[in-house]
Each structure stands twice: as structure tokens, then as C-alpha cells.
Amino acid sequence: MLCHADPVTVTWRHLPAPAREIAVAAAEAVEAAGVRDQEAYETSVGRLAGAERSGLVLGAVVRLLLEETHPDGLAGDDVRQVLERCVRSAAGWRPDVDPHVVLVLLAGALGVYDPGDDDAPPDPAAVARHAPLLVADLLAVTGRPLDNYLTAAFAEIERTERHD
């Protein structure tokens, strides 16, 4: 269990304001997706779309969730199942869900997406509208709260930036 391997001494709630805003908006969007609250979802994804680096944070959360839900790795069929489950679940209340954007999010989280090879890469607003749907879907599989994944994602991003 990647998110529970090491004790984390600082949660995302103690991060600088811009990072905390991403975490709060992501948490609200994922919660709204879980209960299918259109109004709350629109408000929170609007904030996510305007927050620089929210895609990086949500991508890290998706990767952590994929690693936890598929500890032996993901095959093509696994990716297809996650994609289909997420899109079908979301389509009932989000008719604008775009399978291509969800696939890009999955591929990006796995490190196999190159926007230069995509004729129509999703913009930050599309990422903000779709990432919480994918996160909510994956969280439903784990049955765990988002907070641990957000904390781990921010810690991972910080480690990466410190080493670069």
C-alpha cells in the first residue's frame, strides 16, 4: 500500500496557500462527483481549472490510486476496464464526459502520454472537469479517503522537484 508505507509528518493542510487551494478544490470536486452534485462539481472544477499545476497533483493522485488498485501493474485490459467503468459511471450525470480525456489522464498518470503525439490534447479545463471523476471512481474501488492520496501526491511532487 503505497500511501500507507511511510508515516507522513505533514499533511496537505499545512502546505502553502496555492497548493492548499488545489487540494481543497480537488477534495470538493471528488466529493461532489461521489454524490453527483452538479452545482458543487462545477464550482470546484472551475477553481481547479484556474489553479496552476492542479493537473500535476491530480495526475499524481491517479497514479497512486492505480498503483494501489493494481499492485501487479496494469495491462491494456485493466486500463480499458478503468476507462469504461469511469466513463459509464460519470455519463449518467455528466453527459459531457469525454472518454478521450479520461484515457489521456490514465496514460499521463502512467507516464505513457506525449501531448506532442495527440492531435487534440485536452486543455487544463478539460483535465479539471475529468480528473475528479476518475479519482472518485478509483477511490470507490479502494474505499479509502482522498486525504492520504493528496498528502502522498504532494510529498512525491516535492521530492521530485527537490531532486531536479
Side-chain angles (χ1 to χ4, degrees), residues 65-150:
L65 284 161
L66 289 171
E67 288 176 354
E68 186 163 327
T69 56
H70 298 85
D72 297 327
L74 277 90
D77 284 343
D78 297 322
V79 173
R80 183 179 44 75
Q81 288 173 350
V82 171
L83 173 67
E84 287 177 355
R85 186 185 64 229
C86 177
V87 170
R88 282 192 179 121
S89 174
W93 71 287
R94 297 288 309 176
D96 62 341
V97 67
D98 184 343
H100 174 73
V101 177
V102 178
L103 179 59
V104 166
L105 292 169
L106 287 166
L110 296 171
V112 296
Y113 175 71
D114 181 359
D117 293 338
D118 192 343
D119 292 338
D123 62 14
V127 169
R129 279 192 313 275
H130 288 76
L133 299 172
L134 182 55
V135 170
D137 182 75
L138 291 167
L139 282 172
V141 173
T142 69
R144 294 200 172 99
L146 177 61
D147 279 3
N148 292 343
Y149 297 98
L150 279 171

Side-chain angles (χ1 to χ4, degrees), residues 10-33:
V10 176
T11 69
W12 61 263
R13 297 177 193 281
H14 297 92
L15 293 171
R20 209 171 41 250
E21 172 58 24
I22 292 170
V24 169
E28 289 173 359
V30 169
E31 181 179 337

